[in-house]
Amino acid sequence: DVKVTQSSRYLVKRTGEKVFLECVQDMDHENMFWYRQDPGLGLRLIYFSYDVKMKEKGDIPEGYSVSREKKERFSLILESASTNQTSMYLCASSPSFRPKLAGRFWGEQYFGPGTRLTVT
Amino acid sequence: KQEVTQIPAALSVPEGENLVLNCSFTDSAIYNLQWFRQDPGKGLTSLLLIQSSQREQTSGRLNASLDKSSGRSTLYIAASQPGDSATYLCAVTNTNAGKSTFGDGTTLTVKP
């Protein structure tokens, strides 16, 4: 079974702190994603990565950065945490398919258990 | 921009009933559609993935169908049980962007 783990289930940080959220997958998936989930706003993509050291902005990248130095690990960084970043953070991974005619496609996404971050 | 809608937002049924959850999307240029289950305070669990070339997928008591031309997918749950109570989300992945767009989910309650 695919396993996606996240470093913390619950985290409480103060405004202005630098926060690291880590995600590890054990299925050798090329693609990894960071989402946040808020009541009334659903799941929104922050950043994703389709290879080591590669990253692309999602729909709401402002205030966040990411790092992918190893294939199995994808880190989300809040440079200076703010109260509006209080949320549930979800990491996901998926395999990648590369048809001969180029393009990059995503397979089935597998999610971690989530990190509930509170910024006070 | 892709938009995904799930109606109703909440559904309550008695145990044993068969039910259908709906997912509609505005852009039919999708690569796949995935159904998830989410329990309160937890991550998402993948239930079924339908590729754009497929019409349906089945897993146990679950059956998901896809009609790309009309922009609709349904998740059919047979003989519902209290343990099926959860929020069900659908997500579509577009061929051009490669990113997934999620619906807001349908919260299902199955009463004993």
Side-chain angles (χ1 to χ4, degrees):
Chain A
D1 284 349
V2 175
K3 192 165 186 181
V4 180
T5 57
Q6 296 183 228
S7 49
S8 306
R9 288 301 312 277
Y10 302 94
L11 208 52
V12 180
K13 295 292 183 180
R14 293 190 180 275
T15 302
E17 277 192 84
K18 190 168 186 176
V19 182
F20 293 87
L21 303 181
E22 292 204 319
C23 176
V24 177
Q25 50 95 5
D26 67 357
M27 281 302 290
D28 202 36
H29 285 171
E30 290 84 355
N31 308 307
M32 296 188 76
F33 309 82
W34 275 108
Y35 296 91
R36 64 178 282 179
Q37 185 177 31
D38 302 284
L41 297 175
L43 257 84
R44 294 177 291 170
L45 181 64
I46 305 171
Y47 267 98
F48 65 102
S49 168
Y50 54 85
D51 205 346
V52 176
K53 297 191 185 295
M54 305 302 289
K55 62 184 179 184
E56 286 196 22
K57 293 180 180 179
D59 299 317
I60 51 164
E62 297 79 18
Y64 302 95
S65 62
V66 291
S67 172
R68 192 162 180 205
E69 297 297 317
K70 293 185 177 181
K71 191 175 185 179
E72 68 272 16
R73 189 179 298 268
F74 192 34
S75 300
L76 179 70
I77 304 155
L78 287 66
E79 295 289 343
S80 178
S82 64
T83 55
N84 63 13
Q85 292 179 310
T86 291
S87 185
M88 170 70 107
Y89 289 87
L90 293 163
C91 174
S93 73
S94 75
S96 188
F97 304 98
R98 297 181 178 84
K100 289 182 181 178
L101 295 177
R104 185 183 300 276
F105 300 103
W106 275 253
E108 189 170 0
Q109 289 192 59
Y110 296 88
F111 279 78
T115 295
R116 171 73 64 184
L117 173 67
T118 302
V119 182
T120 61
Chain B
K1 180 185 174 184
Q2 178 73 272
E3 293 183 4
V4 180
T5 304
Q6 292 186 248
I7 295 174
L11 183 64
S12 181
V13 301
E15 181 177 4
E17 193 162 297
N18 301 326
L19 60 102
V20 174
L21 306 180
N22 298 296
C23 172
S24 60
F25 47 94
T26 55
D27 184 352
S28 62
I30 67 170
Y31 181 68
N32 62 40
L33 184 146
Q34 194 167 355
W35 281 94
F36 296 90
R37 168 190 174 132
Q38 186 176 31
D39 294 293
K42 303 281 183 69
L44 277 67
T45 300
S46 178
L47 297 174
L48 290 164
L49 175 75
I50 310 177
Q51 300 292 351
S52 62
S53 57
Q54 297 175 320
R55 294 298 298 256
E56 65 179 284
Q57 282 283 354
T58 298
S59 175
R61 294 183 295 108
L62 306 179
N63 176 277
S65 68
L66 174 64
D67 183 343
K68 264 195 353 175
S69 61
S70 67
R72 294 171 62 88
S73 175
T74 62
L75 179 67
Y76 174 83
I77 303 177
S80 58
Q81 304 169 358
D84 294 331
S85 297
T87 296
Y88 292 81
L89 297 100
C90 68
V92 298
T93 300
N94 278 76
T95 53
N96 54 359
K99 297 181 290 186
S100 297
T101 304
F102 286 77
D104 289 337
T106 295
T107 299
L108 173 66
T109 303
V110 181
K111 297 181 178 180

